[in-house]
Amino acid sequence: MQTLLLNNDDVHENANMTELVPAIEEAFAAFERGDAQMPPKSYIDLPQYNGDFRSMPAYMDAGDWDAAGIKWVNVHPDNEEQFDLPTVMGTMVYSSPETAFPLALMDGTELTMKRTGAAAAVATDHLAIEDASSLGIIGAGVQSYTQLEAIATVRDIQEVIVSDLDEERVARFIDTFEDEFDVRAGSIEEAASCDVLSTVTPVEDPIVSRDAVGDHTHINAMGADAEGKHELADEVLLDAKLVIDDHEQTTHSGEINVPYNEGVLSDDDIHAAIGEIVVGDEEGRTDEDGISVFDSTGLAIQDVAAAHIVYEHARENDNGYEFDLLGLSGRDD
């Protein structure tokens, strides 16, 4: 058997959002049903390098298919300036649950962007108004692209307003999508008034006020991934139908981590986990709902579900590079 090496381009080409979004939904459902194993994300802190490593293993059984793997990912904020390297890099090891054979090694950075967008799309499908046609995005970095790509598969997005302090990033985003959408630069307030809002920034002081948010806006809070990060004003969270991906992760490092640990928010303010809504145990959007918020920290089950889609299509499309990682081809049986 051969292990498949899949680079950034291979992952991008084989992570079709129309299939990835349902796979991520299956992951949320499997987690809620108890058909998944996902040990807590572990951290190796490296203050001497101003960085850290994170390991994210998981197994999930979707019924028709199952998947297992582990993502090894870093956050080194000084990388770009000092070493001309990305701040975040990831490697995904995708293994056969039956034999443990390493089926693929793939770029985990592109995989993370794709599955993060898909997770927002799942939440949007369950929590946004049915006729949502406008999308606001605050933060025009790499994550913003997959937010639009994924959410456009579950709602008929016509208008896109992107807000970022970096005008060059906004210009690149507009250039990428102007042939497909009515996309323009705008203020935070303009973006927040859209039917759907995705926030993908690393800020620690909230930038989205309660007054800025539309009466029925659904918000995907995607930026917070560490203690202290916080994009939405507490009043937004308190007024919203609040949905999380995982209680332990969101209270530790998600959008709600600051107000939760300060006692501003409690478990009584959390409506449900997204998996509870996916399997039908809790309601998504109802006619009575105003603002809704999905607090996403990113789960390892999303990575293995996304890796499954990428691997299967890469095999079908003859993408990637096969190599004998374990030296089995020349083994004398």
Side-chain angles (χ1 to χ4, degrees), residues 58-78:
Y59 165 79
M60 61 163 286
D61 183 356
D64 294 334
W65 54 272
D66 62 354
I70 182 169
K71 186 172 73 176
W72 177 244
V73 63
N74 77 294
V75 177
H76 281 60
D78 299 333

Side-chain angles (χ1 to χ4, degrees), residues 233-255:
D234 293 347
E235 293 78 12
V236 175
L237 299 171
L238 288 166
D239 284 353
K241 172 175 273 189
L242 181 57
V243 176
I244 61 176
D245 58 6
D246 176 72
H247 188 275
E248 182 175 351
Q249 287 192 188
T250 53
T251 55
H252 175 268
S253 56
E255 176 59 32

Side-chain angles (χ1 to χ4, degrees), residues 49-50 77-85:
Y49 300 118
N50 188 27
D78 299 333
N79 265 4
E80 186 170 354
E81 181 177 346
Q82 295 186 10
F83 304 105
D84 196 26
L85 287 171

Side-chain angles (χ1 to χ4, degrees), residues 270-321:
I270 300 172
H271 169 67
I274 186 64
E276 294 177 288
I277 294 174
V278 168
V279 301
D281 289 344
E282 296 288 347
E283 288 185 318
R285 176 163 288 273
T286 67
D287 292 339
E288 293 74 34
D289 288 335
I291 300 169
S292 56
V293 171
F294 173 52
D295 182 358
S296 173
T297 56
L299 306 180
I301 50 170
Q302 297 167 222
D303 294 312
V304 297
H308 166 77
I309 296 296
V310 169
Y311 174 75
E312 294 298 324
H313 283 289
R315 280 293 187 199
E316 293 171 5
N317 297 327
D318 197 26
N319 293 144
Y321 169 73

Side-chain angles (χ1 to χ4, degrees), residues 20-148:
L20 190 55
V21 172
I24 298 304
E25 188 169 45
E26 290 272 17
F28 287 135
F31 188 46
E32 184 61 32
R33 292 193 308 262
D35 293 331
Q37 297 180 50
M38 190 178 67
K41 183 188 300 184
S42 63
Y43 291 79
I44 296 176
D45 291 316
L46 301 167
Q48 68 271 37
Y49 300 118
N50 188 27
D52 65 60
F53 286 115
R54 307 163 189 199
S55 62
M56 301 173 63
Y59 165 79
M60 61 163 286
D61 183 356
D64 294 334
W65 54 272
D66 62 354
I70 182 169
K71 186 172 73 176
W72 177 244
V73 63
N74 77 294
V75 177
H76 281 60
D78 299 333
N79 265 4
E80 186 170 354
E81 181 177 346
Q82 295 186 10
F83 304 105
D84 196 26
L85 287 171
T87 297
V88 178
M89 295 176 283
T91 301
M92 184 73 191
V93 180
Y94 179 64
S95 302
S96 163
E98 182 178 10
T99 68
F101 185 83
L103 298 170
L105 299 176
M106 63 182 74
D107 172 46
T109 307
E110 181 72 14
L111 190 78
T112 299
M113 290 190 290
K114 293 289 188 178
R115 61 82 152 149
T116 302
V122 172
T124 299
D125 199 25
H126 288 277
L127 293 166
I129 56 175
E130 285 296 326
D131 60 350
S133 61
S134 60
L135 171 64
I137 301 177
I138 300 175
V142 292
Q143 291 282 2
S144 62
Y145 292 75
T146 55
Q147 289 294 304
L148 177 51

Side-chain angles (χ1 to χ4, degrees), residues 225-238:
D225 62 354
E227 288 183 81
K229 291 188 177 182
H230 190 17
E231 298 180 292
L232 310 178
D234 293 347
E235 293 78 12
V236 175
L237 299 171
L238 288 166

